[in-house]
Amino acid sequence: MNTDNKIFEKAIYEAERAGLRLERTESCLVLTDGRLSLNADFTHMLPRLRHHNLSSELLVRAARIKRSDRPLTAIDATAGLGEDSLLLAAAGFNVILYEYDSVIAALLRDALDRSTAVSELCDITSRMKLIYGDSISAMAALTEPPDVILLDPMFPAREKSALIKKKFQLLQQLEMPCSDEERLLNAAISARPHKIVIKRPLKGPYLSGRRPDYSISGKSVRYDCIVPI
């Protein structure tokens, strides 16, 4: 049995434990509670990947570093459904995505697999490598520092928040906001990247109370940038 099959079997079990179901339809893998449904898909991101739009993306601006004579590398330590990693890959990074939740990893694996059949996506997603596992341990074991590490712990749930779409209520049943922010941030710092980029709510606190070197803010989110070197 290959690794992807093992992840899928575990994902089915974990979804059922959360009162949810993973269903494979004719077009994609779907997570559902019988009322709401969610799948990972990159095609809706295509307008944002066009060059004139990509260069204005806050994340791309935050992750930008001076070009070198080698390919740039990024680690997405909290991959989720992979949309931020897609932006980084479109900007030229080779991205390693870590996701520790088996259900979310299965949905993301499905989106990556389907992207190979989309001409506008296949080259971009070829620079994205998904690893199911704990990014904190992985960062501690790195032998070469990456250029950028992206941290995006799930925002703390707010009962009346208009930012959380109904379908993402399904994800919140699976994956809680990061409970050990200090350990996550320290692991990223210890990996000695050129830059750490942290996605936060616009008015949210700094991750683990660490003040960044600078921030880039939008209407609802903020990217805090730490340059540890």
Side-chain angles (χ1 to χ4, degrees):
M1 182 181 294
N2 65 35
T3 301
D4 286 348
N5 286 338
K6 289 180 179 178
I7 294 172
F8 184 62
E9 287 194 356
K10 184 174 181 182
I12 291 174
Y13 172 73
E14 294 295 339
E16 290 177 348
R17 285 186 60 193
L20 306 171
R21 297 192 311 276
L22 269 177
E23 299 177 349
R24 189 170 292 282
T25 68
E26 292 183 0
S27 58
C28 64
L29 187 66
V30 175
L31 179 67
T32 181
D33 63 358
R35 183 174 60 92
L36 303 172
S37 62
L38 173 69
N39 69 287
D41 184 77
F42 294 142
T43 57
H44 73 282
M45 296 277 289
L46 287 173
R48 296 174 64 183
L49 303 182
R50 294 171 186 149
H51 180 72
H52 61 283
N53 291 331
L54 185 65
S55 60
S56 63
E57 286 282 344
L58 293 179
L59 173 57
V60 173
R61 290 169 52 198
R64 187 175 292 136
I65 62 175
K66 291 182 179 179
R67 276 286 178 182
S68 65
D69 57 357
R70 58 178 176 76
L72 296 175
T73 59
I75 287 178
D76 186 345
T78 49
L81 295 180
E83 294 181 355
D84 286 336
S85 285
L86 184 70
L87 292 172
L88 291 177
F93 285 88
N94 291 317
V95 188
I96 299 177
L97 303 80
Y98 288 95
E99 177 52 53
Y100 72 88
D101 186 282
S102 61
V103 178
I104 297 174
L107 292 170
L108 180 51
R109 177 76 269 162
D110 179 62
L112 288 167
D113 289 344
R114 286 185 287 108
S115 72
T116 62
V118 182
S119 60
E120 300 96 329
L121 289 173
C122 59
D123 182 60
I124 296 172
T125 56
S126 71
R127 294 191 289 273
M128 299 167 63
K129 179 182 179 181
L130 172 62
I131 297 178
Y132 166 55
D134 174 28
S135 64
I136 293 178
S137 299
M139 287 188 285
L142 290 176
T143 57
E144 293 290 334
D147 293 296
V148 171
I149 293 179
L150 173 64
L151 305 179
D152 179 16
M154 288 186 68
F155 298 166
R158 291 172 291 172
E159 293 182 1
K160 298 182 179 180
S161 173
L163 299 177
I164 301 176
K165 296 180 180 180
K166 286 185 177 181
K167 65 181 181 179
F168 287 101
Q169 293 172 9
L170 297 175
L171 289 185
Q172 290 181 322
Q173 294 183 52
L174 296 169
E175 189 173 78
M176 297 301 292
C178 178
S179 60
D180 197 342
E181 295 181 346
E182 183 174 5
R183 187 164 169 252
L184 178 66
L185 180 56
N186 286 341
I189 293 171
S190 296
R192 298 177 294 112
H194 180 89
K195 183 186 293 187
I196 299 168
V197 178
I198 307 167
K199 187 176 184 179
R200 302 300 289 162
L202 180 60
K203 297 182 180 180
Y206 298 133
L207 186 67
S208 190
R210 169 69 181 260
R211 181 178 293 274
D213 293 290
Y214 65 94
S215 298
I216 296 177
S217 299
K219 293 182 179 179
S220 60
V221 299
R222 185 186 77 236
Y223 290 95
D224 294 336
C225 300
I226 296 174
V227 184
I229 299 176

